[in-house]
Amino acid sequence: MAHLIRHKLTNKLTNAAHTVSNKSQAKVSGVFARLGFQAATDEEGLGFAECDDLDYDYRQGMQMDVLQGEEEGGQMEGDGELEGDSHYQRDGTGPRPSSLKTAGSLEEDKPKITSWEAGWNVTNAIQGMFVLGLPYAILHGGYLGLFLIIFAAVVCCYTGKILIACLYEENEDGIKVRVRDSYVDIANACCAPRFPALGGHVVNVAQIIELVMTCILYVVVSGNLMYNSFPGFPVSQKAWSVVATAALLPCAFLKNLKAVSKFSLLCTLAHFIINILVIAYCLSRAREWAWEKVKFYIDVKKFPISIGIIVFSYTSQIFLPSLEGNMQKPSEFHCMMDWTHIAACVLKGLFALVAYLTWADATKEVITDNLPSTIRAVVNLFLVSKALLSYPLPFFAAVEVLEKSLFQDGGRALFPDCYGPGGQLKSWGLGLRVALVVFTLLMAVFVPHFALLMGLTGSLTGAGLCFLLPSLFHLKLQWRNLLWHHVFFDVSIFIIGGICAISGFIHSIEGLIEAFRYDIHD
């Protein structure tokens, strides 16, 4: 009997001791959690780590309102830092709340744009002056070229949406939070953990190629337009390209785009006026339209080049992550993408078809070259002004990518910083910018073929950034949340995009070789 009583007392004492131990452990775990450490079993630790990663990125990138409220109520001490730590410091060396407050304040002070303003930016990107090459695509594609204008609009709209979806992950509460900020971040996330920086390098290279090729195309089209505007002048197209580049040298001194942005609206208005003039002239010749020239057959050799031209005219994926992040209501992004691409599809299709019907087989690579000499010079001068004022935008973007990748990547940069302590540009940094301007000139002089270059760029980087990479990243990062039709669309876009990219690249190179071999001019 005494033994039984002793056994019961021992069990009660043991249970009480375990209870006290568990409570103490819970309190200690809570303290450690506040300090940034997680004490848990392997399975629990894995789940906590995943949630912690999302929470950490969310707090870092978005600066939660709750966190800011706690910081505003904190006490200042030492060098102006706040007491306590209200975020998870996974390595014990995370930023102090004061720095987070500063970042949050800057984020709040940064002006946001409406969905209409965002749509205007997308419209400027996908309805720029490169639509002047679309009638040439109809020349070699017929009705299938028109179908591709519609198809490319649908696909680019879809891939733009899934690219933005890759910026988000669900946190522990099932709420989608923005954990990535750019195309490069998405690429790096897909290649982690084995090659955490490989994807970013690939995207950076593709972006630089596309941006530099865009600059080259602006120089090419400027020389082409000036040469065809004043055919009586004893000045070649290459010489006009040199003159245009001389006017672009001040771009090397750009530190920001404030000065350039003032001319953005004027450029866009000028472009719409030019389109209206071209369409008005075409409508005045509606009785002469050659409907019988629009066929269902395609030129097998030239049509892949047309695919690249059409794809390149829709490229906007490079800046969509930044654009969506600066919208007042990111939930309206999908609606904005829909109406901008529908409008672009309708306007591009009508412009290409009407222009081709007017000149049929005589359609040139730059459609304004078909206009009569009486109005061609005026229209082309407007286009040259637009091209020269549009050049700084891709040039400055390319410079930023190069500087951040090679000169400003913390301690991992290959070369020393090209900016001095006061933010002034060093002489050798200025030399590199001038060299980039000269490089665009040399390419424009030695490869003065607008349509072939546009097709090559669209096939090489346009298809990659607009078709291949978004669908691949979407499958990789959102696989668990995808329905069967999403998987089907992504795989189909990847396959079709790959075929178009390879065929367009090969035929564009063949076209350039043929142009050099037989000295073919635009």
Side-chain angles (χ1 to χ4, degrees):
M1 185 67 180
H3 178 73
L4 181 60
I5 294 174
R6 189 183 301 111
H7 180 70
K8 289 183 177 181
L9 289 174
T10 303
N11 286 341
K12 288 183 178 181
L13 291 174
T14 302
N15 292 336
H18 281 302
T19 302
V20 172
S21 176
N22 289 338
K23 289 182 178 180
S24 301
Q25 185 177 355
K27 290 182 178 181
V28 173
S29 298
V31 172
F32 274 90
R34 292 177 181 275
L35 295 175
F37 300 97
Q38 297 289 346
T41 62
D42 292 341
E43 294 180 358
E44 292 172 341
L46 180 61
F48 287 151
E50 293 175 353
C51 294
D52 186 57
D53 284 337
L54 291 173
D55 189 59
Y56 177 84
D57 292 333
Y58 181 56
R59 290 169 185 259
Q60 284 262 332
M62 304 300 293
Q63 300 302 322
M64 297 171 62
D65 294 336
V66 176
L67 179 62
Q68 294 174 8
E70 292 177 357
E71 291 166 348
E72 291 174 357
Q75 298 293 327
M76 300 297 292
E77 68 173 12
D79 296 328
E81 295 181 345
L82 295 172
E83 280 192 80
D85 193 358
S86 55
H87 74 97
Y88 294 131
Q89 296 182 3
R90 293 178 294 180
D91 55 358
T93 60
R96 297 287 294 174
S98 58
S99 64
L100 291 177
K101 179 180 179 181
T102 303
S105 300
L106 291 174
E107 186 70 21
E108 288 179 353
D109 294 340
K110 189 175 181 180
K112 298 289 185 179
I113 60 175
T114 65
S115 58
W116 285 101
E117 292 169 331
W120 182 256
N121 283 299
V122 173
T123 300
N124 287 340
I126 64 178
Q127 300 210 104
M129 64 184 302
F130 295 119
V131 299
L132 299 176
L134 291 180
Y136 187 76
I138 304 299
L139 172 65
H140 298 296
Y143 285 111
L144 187 55
L146 284 174
F147 169 77
L148 276 177
I149 291 176
I150 300 172
F151 177 76
V154 174
V155 172
C156 288
C157 180
Y158 173 76
T159 55
K161 293 177 182 179
I162 63 175
L163 184 68
I164 297 303
C166 293
L167 297 173
Y168 291 83
E169 296 285 353
E170 289 187 356
N171 64 6
E172 61 271 25
D173 297 323
I175 300 174
K176 287 188 176 182
V177 295
R178 204 174 198 263
V179 298
R180 304 177 188 97
D181 293 323
S182 65
Y183 209 142
V184 173
D185 292 342
I186 295 172
N188 285 334
C190 286
C191 294
R194 291 188 178 181
F195 308 102
L198 176 62
H201 293 325
V202 171
V203 170
N204 276 335
V205 170
Q207 287 180 341
I208 291 171
I209 292 174
E210 179 156 323
L211 291 168
V212 172
M213 289 298 288
T214 302
C215 294
I216 295 170
L217 284 169
Y218 281 132
V219 178
V220 170
V221 78
S222 297
N224 179 289
L225 292 171
M226 292 299 295
Y227 176 74
N228 287 283
S229 299
F230 306 101
F233 279 31
V235 182
S236 65
Q237 178 177 333
K238 296 180 180 180
W240 280 118
S241 296
V242 174
V243 174
T245 306
L248 295 172
L249 280 175
C251 293
F253 298 90
L254 283 176
K255 289 187 177 181
N256 54 63
L257 292 178
K258 286 184 178 180
V260 179
S261 62
K262 295 179 181 179
F263 300 99
S264 178
L265 180 60
L266 293 177
C267 290
T268 305
L269 291 176
H271 177 67
F272 278 112
I273 292 173
I274 291 165
N275 285 351
I276 291 172
L277 289 175
V278 173
I279 293 177
Y281 177 80
C282 294
L283 292 175
S284 68
R285 295 181 54 186
R287 293 182 180 180
E288 305 173 16
W289 281 359
W291 284 98
E292 70 279 359
K293 294 291 185 179
V294 187
K295 305 293 185 180
F296 284 97
Y297 72 87
I298 63 174
D299 185 336
V300 178
K301 190 174 182 180
K302 296 291 183 70
F303 184 64
I305 302 174
S306 302
I307 297 175
I309 293 174
I310 293 171
V311 171
F312 186 73
S313 70
Y314 280 106
T315 53
S316 64
Q317 271 73 359
I318 291 178
F319 66 87
L320 287 183
S322 174
L323 190 69
E324 189 266 353
N326 285 285
M327 289 180 64
Q328 293 177 359
K329 298 179 180 179
S331 59
E332 297 179 352
F333 177 82
H334 281 207
C335 180
M336 180 273 295
M337 289 289 289
D338 289 336
W339 65 259
T340 52
H341 282 73
I342 290 173
C345 174
V346 172
L347 293 176
K348 286 181 178 182
L350 289 176
F351 180 85
L353 179 61
V354 167
Y356 175 72
L357 289 174
T358 303
W359 289 286
D361 293 339
T363 301
K364 296 184 179 180
E365 294 187 3
V366 181
I367 195 61
T368 54
D369 290 342
N370 289 103
L371 292 171
S373 57
T374 52
I375 62 174
R376 183 196 311 160
V378 176
V379 173
N380 284 355
L381 285 176
F382 272 103
L383 282 173
V384 170
S385 300
K386 175 174 172 53
L388 295 180
L389 291 173
S390 300
Y391 180 97
L393 297 172
F395 175 81
F396 188 77
V399 167
E400 275 197 323
V401 174
L402 286 171
E403 287 179 350
K404 289 180 180 178
S405 302
L406 301 178
F407 307 101
Q408 298 175 351
D409 193 14
R412 298 171 295 177
L414 297 177
F415 305 100
D417 199 343
C418 53
Y419 289 93
Q424 66 273 20
L425 187 65
K426 295 180 180 178
S427 57
W428 62 271
L430 177 63
L432 290 175
R433 292 185 174 204
V434 173
L436 184 59
V437 176
V438 174
F439 174 76
T440 61
L441 167 64
L442 294 176
M443 287 293 294
V445 167
F446 289 105
V447 193
H449 300 280
F450 179 75
L452 291 174
L453 280 176
M454 190 173 170
L456 177 64
T457 307
S459 302
L460 183 62
T461 61
L465 292 172
C466 294
F467 288 8
L468 302 178
L469 294 183
S471 56
L472 183 63
F473 294 163
H474 194 228
L475 288 170
K476 171 71 174 178
L477 296 177
Q478 302 290 328
W479 176 259
R480 295 183 179 181
N481 302 323
L482 298 182
L483 300 176
W484 70 268
H485 61 275
H486 293 145
V487 176
F488 175 77
F489 289 155
D490 291 348
V491 173
S492 300
I493 290 171
F494 185 84
I495 294 174
I496 295 173
I499 295 173
C500 293
I502 294 173
S503 61
F505 177 77
I506 293 174
H507 286 88
S508 296
I509 294 295
E510 289 179 349
L512 289 172
I513 293 174
E514 182 179 346
F516 278 107
R517 180 177 298 173
Y518 299 103
D519 195 23
I520 300 174
H521 298 282
D522 291 346

